Amino acid sequence: MSPDALITHVVGASALVLTAAHGGGWLARRLGQPYIVGQLATGIALGPSLLGSTAPTVYATLFPAQIGPALTGLAQFSLVVFLFAVGYELDLRMPGVRARTSVTVALASFAVPMAVGCGGALLFRDALHDLGMPRDLSPGTVVFAGIALATTAVPVLSAIVRENGLSRTVPGVVAVSAAGVLDAVCWTVLAGALLEAGGGGTGLGWPWRTLLTVGYVTLMACAARPLLRLLLWRTRLEPSLRTALLIGFALGSAWVTHTLGLHVIFGALLAGVVIPREEGGTLDPDLLRPLLSVASLLLPFFFVLSGRSVAMDNMTGTGWTALVTVTVLAVSTKIGSGTAAARMNGLDRYDARTVGILLNTRGLTELIALDAGREAGLLSAPLYTVLVFMALVTTLLTQPLLRLNARLATRERRPESARSTAVKPYAG
């Protein structure tokens, strides 16, 4: 394919990806589902499993193999910008009197699914072998199985909390705060699993890569952060130039962590975390707004990349059984542990169940983790497909379960207190 033809195909494919994915997101939102559910479903529909099997000639024309690297590059760029914004927004400060509750819920909703996922990987080795996994699982693979069940998608959870009017309620505040702590723990453990899994072309063993990673994190925290504070607070760069420089900083950090054997996502997250906030701890809207706009525009490339790796035609009876089993375990452990921890900290049954249901939202964060595991060789194609559908199902279940919980609350309340099923406002 000539360079001109390649560029033409990339432009045409990009037009289709952006239009179809954002159209799917709009439709999903009209149906009461998160925007990313529609985008992911569109990405799978544009992949080899659906479009490729029903119209192979059309699929080959729209997405020839030669444009794969260009689409992958756009997907990685969108991930870096998105996770840079996530790291900048990440706030581990606990709100008032609910600090202990949030930490307890976070630890419980991490530990229980993590233990079940790791134990399930060891217990069902034969079934995983039928899904293309090696019979002798590496420690990184076992840990990754736990991460797949323990992950919660903070951005999607926050959007659901806002859309359901839960932002100033006890369960809403507890769920968002706990998810922030949970996110930090999961990313850290995932980084350890990836360090154990691959070398990133460095030729170094994992102890050396771990040492270099710790050194890089220390350098970013102790040196980069003060320099960035000087750049952001003491200079008066115009917003567009400042945004461009910081995105370049995030891309450079992503390159470093990828070289160390980690995924680019960790460098992007770390870059966002070390960016100092405004005086008083507030976020800079002139920085955050364009980051989110760019990420929202380009993330469909990541969804299409994820969809292209979903191999529905390779799903056997074992695969469908594994999907049901993994989904049941993911939902029960996440909702059960979150609800139990919230109840032990004094929340009533309705509020506690709301916290557990919200933490069961996996969404985009799960997909990013799965993509990192797939690239590191921790997942086979059939198992990757199973876990992508698990992430989709658990996210789809959030709104129906919240409505079911509201109906259960109406039945459980005494007549004199059943005037409303609204949760108590947060006063911390």
Side-chain angles (χ1 to χ4, degrees), residues 166 171 339 343 347-357 401-410 412-413 420-424:
L166 298 173
T339 300
R343 283 288 285 159
L347 273 69
D348 63 30
R349 283 179 293 182
Y350 173 51
D351 287 356
R353 288 196 301 259
T354 301
V355 170
I357 292 169
L401 289 176
L402 286 174
R403 288 192 288 267
L404 176 62
N405 187 36
R407 288 196 293 268
L408 288 175
T410 302
E412 291 169 353
R413 295 177 191 272
S420 171
T421 59
V423 292
K424 299 182 289 294

Side-chain angles (χ1 to χ4, degrees), residues 121-135 137 318:
L122 296 173
L123 184 62
F124 299 111
R125 289 184 182 182
D126 291 339
L128 292 178
H129 182 66
D130 292 339
L131 293 174
M133 297 296 292
R135 194 172 295 277
L137 301 176
T318 302

Side-chain angles (χ1 to χ4, degrees), residues 44-55:
I44 294 174
L46 292 176
S49 296
L50 291 181
L51 181 61
S53 60
T54 57

Side-chain angles (χ1 to χ4, degrees), residues 222-306:
C222 297
R225 190 177 182 88
L227 291 175
L228 289 168
R229 184 178 290 111
L230 178 66
L231 173 67
L232 296 178
W233 289 1
R234 297 189 182 179
T235 61
R236 294 302 177 206
L237 295 176
E238 59 181 84
S240 59
L241 176 58
R242 181 176 54 180
T243 301
L245 290 175
L246 290 176
I247 289 179
F249 171 68
L251 290 168
S253 180
W255 174 79
V256 171
T257 56
H258 181 73
T259 303
L260 292 174
L262 292 170
H263 198 280
V264 296
I265 58 179
F266 295 101
L269 273 169
L270 180 60
V273 169
V274 301
I275 295 295
R277 297 187 172 209
E278 295 289 282
E279 296 183 24
T282 60
L283 298 172
D284 180 3
D286 290 332
L287 172 61
L288 188 60
R289 191 181 304 112
L291 289 177
L292 294 177
S293 297
V294 172
S296 176
L297 174 66
L298 297 180
L299 271 176
F301 289 102
F302 171 72
F303 291 114
V304 170
L305 182 68
S306 300

